[in-house]
Amino acid sequence: MTPTRTRVLPLLVAVLLALLALPQTGGAPAARADSPAAGADSAVAAGTFTNPIVTQNGADPTIIRYAGYYYHLGTTWASHWEMRRSPTLGGLKTATPTTVYRETVASRCCNFWAPELHRLNGSNGLRWYLTYSAGVSTDIDHQHVHVLESAGNNPLGPYTYKGQVDPYGDNRWMIDSSYLSLPDGRLYLLYSFWEGGTQNLYAVRMSNPWTPTGGAVRIATPTYGWEKVGSGVNEGPTILQHDGRTFLTFSASHCDTPDYKLGLMELTGGDPLAAGAWKKFANPVFQRNDANGVYGPGHNFFFPSPDGKEVWMAYHANSKATDGCSGTRTTRAQRVNWNADGTPNFGTPVSTSIALAEPSGTPAAARR
């Protein structure tokens, strides 16, 4: 062997090894969220993510999509609200929280729960309205519903306090507020309240996002066995409107059990305050999945994909059956599908080891 060949052969070997080490561009694409690809390793691929997407302040989540970004809010258990922002859903996991509001008035602090963010018409035109539960201490028996208004169109605020929603004028306990906005401009607030030994759902007409008009009406109460595990509970109402139909999901059974779950109702009448206007479905639509290690999934919120072609659901859940109503609950997300009869199909809660594709229409430049 000549000295020249001795130098060339090792060089060729090094080049071949380098080529083999390059990432492969072929192969199967990342799975859509309704057809997950197994294996946590695939979560690092561009355009995919794994649940949970938020671990700190991950209970009772709201996720919105606005002007190219996802925004996340969750229960803080404190006297302030923190918001995360990311161009991708998976990016919320590492996004730095921004404090968007801090309460300084003792009579309406503390123990912030269950935020929801809605863009609604108010006296200043379209604004973001943040409705939530808060108490005067860490005692859960003093929770009430409050509303904040953004100064402009930025979901990050700043926010100002608009008022407490008190339909009966007696400062009664209320939690888990959400809005129902109908196409004709009618606005309602939905919430949960204890009455007759159970925790029920109520609706009240609103003259603006913070002012009720008239009395509230009970629209649902726990009647099925799956709504009464731990205690009879209907809470966490939120609206899903699709193809001209108005659905309402709610959380059922006590949150301290792994059997916390989602039920479904539909507005079948013209007046949300009329008796019999709501139809409750007989079976739960989203519940624990022991095989996937997901317990107590509930308190959800809906948001669109960037291209508007998909509906997604944010929800919280635990990874152990022994976890309950605490900071162990984390924010997860997955796609909503549709049954042949036009009703939503939420499937089963996916495992945290499953890689899900980002919602459709996510810009390539935004993908990790």
Side-chain angles (χ1 to χ4, degrees), residues 186 188 201-203 215-221 265-280:
R186 284 179 292 163
Y188 299 85
L201 299 183
Y202 297 79
V217 173
R218 187 171 68 187
I219 61 172
T221 189
M265 296 167 58
E266 183 177 5
L267 181 63
T268 56
D271 182 3
L273 302 182
W278 294 92
K279 169 193 172 184
K280 180 184 284 189

Side-chain angles (χ1 to χ4, degrees), residues 4-26:
T4 301
R5 292 179 61 195
T6 302
R7 290 193 299 270
V8 170
L9 283 175
L11 179 62
L12 289 173
V13 171
V15 170
L16 287 172
L17 289 174
L19 288 173
L20 289 172
L22 288 174
Q24 302 300 303
T25 57

Side-chain angles (χ1 to χ4, degrees), residues 90-122:
L92 291 170
K93 187 175 296 189
T94 55
T96 301
T98 298
T99 297
V100 298
Y101 181 80
R102 187 176 296 276
E103 188 55 75
T104 59
V105 178
S107 63
R108 57 182 188 242
C109 85
C110 314
N111 210 24
F112 283 11
W113 294 354
E116 285 205 2
L117 194 61
H118 296 256
R119 198 161 184 252
L120 302 169
N121 268 308

